[in-house]
Amino acid sequence: EVQLVESGGGLVQPGGSLRLSCAASGFTFSSYSMNWVRQAPGKGLEWVSYISSSSSTIYYADSVKGRFTISRDNAKNSLYLQMNSLRAEDTAVYYCATLAGHYGMDVWGQGTTVTVSS
Amino acid sequence: QSALTQPASVSGSPGQSITISCTGTSSDVGGYNYVSWYQQHPGKAPKLMIYDVSNRPSGVSNRFSGSKSGNTASLTISGLQAEDEADYYCSSYTSSSLYVVFGGGTKLTVL
């Protein structure tokens, strides 16, 4: 079964850090670029970051640039998001996703919740 | 980094057809045939319904169709069913500093 499973969410104080993980299974993870997409409570989807299959190309949304770092370990079939200097507005459900419908492989995880609050 | 523009809500009765618009610019919707549509039920992850403007993934009902004209893409759902009630999001590749931009979302109510 093709699957993405996020972990690492939780409650963190403003200015704190958190590292999200996304474990992939059921498909050739190393062949696909990956993304993080977030959704604030009651709000729409917001693309956060992209990493190519070989990690050679990385993009970030302006809202997280300089604070978040995306990475992957193809040997472990895992995607990561290191989040530093967290703000209240980073509170959201964070999804990892392939966004690869063009290749017949659009897969989303179930999401992990990050809450930034004192 | 502006989101694509969608109507906040649309509604229709069972059996009717509805269309949701998604307006962008020549840097995203108008410039590329990489528009996707997602359906999201409460508490669930988004599900891809249309990719590359008008293509349906395997398993998606042919009641869902997509199109594009200029800077505006559209999702049409025909023969509305109760289970179609959900939030719908468009997305597009963009040549701006982003990689992907999403629309603000449209809540579909089946009356």
Side-chain angles (χ1 to χ4, degrees), chain B residues 3-44:
Chain B
L4 305 175
T5 301
Q6 298 180 232
S9 63
V10 297
S11 62
S13 299
Q16 289 186 331
S17 295
I18 63 96
T19 296
I20 300 172
S21 62
C22 170
T23 302
T25 69
S26 57
S27 296
D28 38 64
V29 174
Y32 308 93
N33 289 324
Y34 293 134
V35 177
S36 297
W37 289 91
Y38 291 89
Q39 176 192 67
Q40 187 181 35
H41 287 109
K44 301 294 187 181

Side-chain angles (χ1 to χ4, degrees), chain A residues 39 50 62 102 106 108-109, chain B residues 1 38 40 44-45 52 89 99:
Chain A
Q39 187 169 33
Y50 161 95
D62 286 349
H102 179 77
D106 192 271
W108 293 64
Chain B
Q1 298 176 343
Y38 291 89
Q40 187 181 35
K44 301 294 187 181
D52 295 355
Y89 295 91
Y99 169 68

Side-chain angles (χ1 to χ4, degrees), chain B residues 4-5 9 35 50 53 79 82 90-91 96 98 100:
Chain B
L4 305 175
T5 301
S9 63
V35 177
I50 295 289
V53 176
C90 63
S91 73
S96 72
L98 296 176
V100 166

Side-chain angles (χ1 to χ4, degrees), chain A residues 33 35 37 39 43-47 50 59-63 65 95 99 101-103 106 108-110, chain B residues 1 34 36 38 40 43-48 51-52 87 89 93 97-105:
Chain A
S33 59
N35 298 266
V37 177
Q39 187 169 33
K43 302 297 184 181
L45 301 172
E46 180 189 14
W47 172 82
Y50 161 95
Y59 301 119
Y60 297 100
D62 286 349
S63 56
K65 201 173 294 182
Y95 296 99
L99 303 185
H102 179 77
Y103 302 104
D106 192 271
W108 293 64
Q110 85 288 351
Chain B
Q1 298 176 343
Y34 293 134
S36 297
Y38 291 89
Q40 187 181 35
K44 301 294 187 181
K47 174 188 176 183
L48 181 67
Y51 68 94
D52 295 355
D87 293 325
Y89 295 91
Y93 170 80
S97 59
L98 296 176
Y99 169 68
V100 166
V101 61
F102 284 94

Side-chain angles (χ1 to χ4, degrees), chain A residues 1-89:
Chain A
E1 179 190 6
V2 173
Q3 198 171 11
L4 295 171
V5 179
E6 302 95 337
S7 60
L11 174 64
V12 61
Q13 292 188 339
S17 298
L18 213 54
R19 189 194 195 208
L20 305 183
S21 298
C22 170
S25 60
F27 66 102
T28 307
F29 177 74
S30 59
S31 296
Y32 293 92
S33 59
M34 294 295 299
N35 298 266
W36 287 98
V37 177
R38 68 184 180 183
Q39 187 169 33
K43 302 297 184 181
L45 301 172
E46 180 189 14
W47 172 82
V48 172
S49 184
Y50 161 95
I51 186 168
S52 63
S53 58
S54 64
S55 303
S56 59
T57 302
I58 287 174
Y59 301 119
Y60 297 100
D62 286 349
S63 56
V64 306
K65 201 173 294 182
R67 300 187 299 122
F68 289 11
T69 302
I70 191 172
S71 63
R72 65 190 295 163
D73 185 335
N74 287 341
K76 294 183 178 180
N77 290 336
S78 293
L79 174 73
Y80 306 102
L81 186 68
Q82 177 67 43
M83 304 186 296
N84 299 330
S85 303
L86 282 162
R87 307 166 179 167
E89 53 265 36

Side-chain angles (χ1 to χ4, degrees), chain B residues 69-89:
Chain B
S69 177
N71 295 336
T72 298
S74 298
L75 172 71
T76 297
I77 308 174
S78 59
L80 270 179
Q81 299 179 0
E83 57 262 36
D84 298 334
E85 186 163 293
D87 293 325
Y88 290 84
Y89 295 91

